[in-house]
Amino acid sequence: MSPSRDRAENDYYATHFEATRAILDREKLVGSILEPAAGEGHISKVLRDYYPESNIVSTDLVHRSDRFGCGVVGGVDFLSTEYPSKFDNVITNPPFSLAKEFVEKALEVSTGKVIMFAKIQFLEGIQRKEFFDAHPPKTVYVFSKRVNPLRNGSEVDENGKPWASTMCFAWFVWEHGFSGEPCIRWI
């Protein structure tokens, strides 16, 4: 995610396992879980490690390899899919350009928690301010150490070095029924 590089194909920046473990160590999920931007299954793999008995559905708009054997189904457009029933929880790293739309849809299709990995800049913007006023997150977990999304799912760049990022990321957590001021915590 460098100004000298083009954006990753299909805005695919996978979430590092440690980043997912960090949120699951702090937020417990009960019931079914949807991961609607699963990529190759990076978040889904950790979900299966934490919740092996849960119904976890992993989908993505793009057909990619199911690298971790999580049953990722490609060709599913989360924003236009009508689900036959609601999920208890939704957790994902949405395409950054569609983060607000993903949260809105996730709140529609869930009954418990919605957890989104996004840039801290997600807090900015007039339209998002109106959205946050109407749907405040319960908690925002800001990473105190840089988290490096995996460009196109790869842990290393074209020179074989781990990715480096100057951006700040956070996990945003909504909980159905919550009203009040968001709590900011650090990971």
Side-chain angles (χ1 to χ4, degrees):
M1 302 199 337
S2 159
S4 63
R5 286 191 182 96
D6 292 334
R7 293 198 61 78
E9 187 176 350
N10 298 306
D11 209 13
Y12 179 38
Y13 297 94
T15 310
H16 208 284
F17 298 135
E18 284 77 26
T20 304
R21 288 183 193 111
I23 192 62
L24 295 180
D25 286 344
R26 289 160 177 82
E27 291 287 334
K28 302 302 177 211
L29 302 178
V30 176
S32 60
I33 305 168
L34 172 64
E35 209 298 36
E40 295 172 287
H42 288 79
I43 291 175
S44 299
K45 179 189 181 319
V46 179
L47 287 169
R48 291 193 185 285
D49 292 345
Y50 275 68
Y51 301 105
E53 302 302 317
S54 291
N55 176 28
I56 301 169
V57 175
S58 303
T59 63
D60 199 280
L61 178 63
V62 177
H63 292 276
R64 294 188 175 91
S65 74
D66 183 9
R67 188 189 306 188
F68 308 107
C70 296
V72 177
V73 177
V76 179
D77 183 349
F78 173 62
L79 297 178
S80 65
T81 297
E82 295 294 325
Y83 295 92
S85 61
K86 292 192 177 199
F87 294 89
D88 296 302
N89 308 281
V90 176
I91 180 172
T92 198
N93 173 354
F96 297 135
S97 62
L98 297 171
K100 179 178 165 279
E101 292 83 354
F102 263 68
V103 175
E104 290 170 330
K105 178 72 174 199
L107 288 168
E108 285 176 26
V109 303
S110 65
T111 60
K113 291 182 182 179
V114 169
I115 303 176
M116 296 282 165
F117 180 83
K119 297 176 195 176
I120 198 73
Q121 290 105 326
F122 183 55
L123 293 170
E124 297 176 325
I126 294 169
Q127 288 182 341
R128 285 188 293 252
K129 181 195 179 304
E130 293 169 0
F131 170 75
F132 285 129
D133 285 344
H135 306 283
K138 182 175 182 182
T139 312
V140 177
Y141 292 91
V142 180
F143 283 92
S144 56
K145 180 180 169 193
R146 293 288 183 221
V147 173
N148 301 309
L150 309 176
R151 181 182 175 84
N152 292 318
S154 175
E155 293 195 30
V156 295
D157 67 14
E158 61 277 2
N159 298 313
K161 295 182 180 179
W163 293 106
S165 176
T166 59
M167 288 185 241
C168 180
F169 290 90
W171 283 105
F172 294 77
V173 180
W174 287 263
E175 192 168 314
H176 284 272
F178 171 77
S179 63
E181 294 296 317
C183 178
I184 304 296
R185 298 190 187 260
W186 285 264
I187 297 177

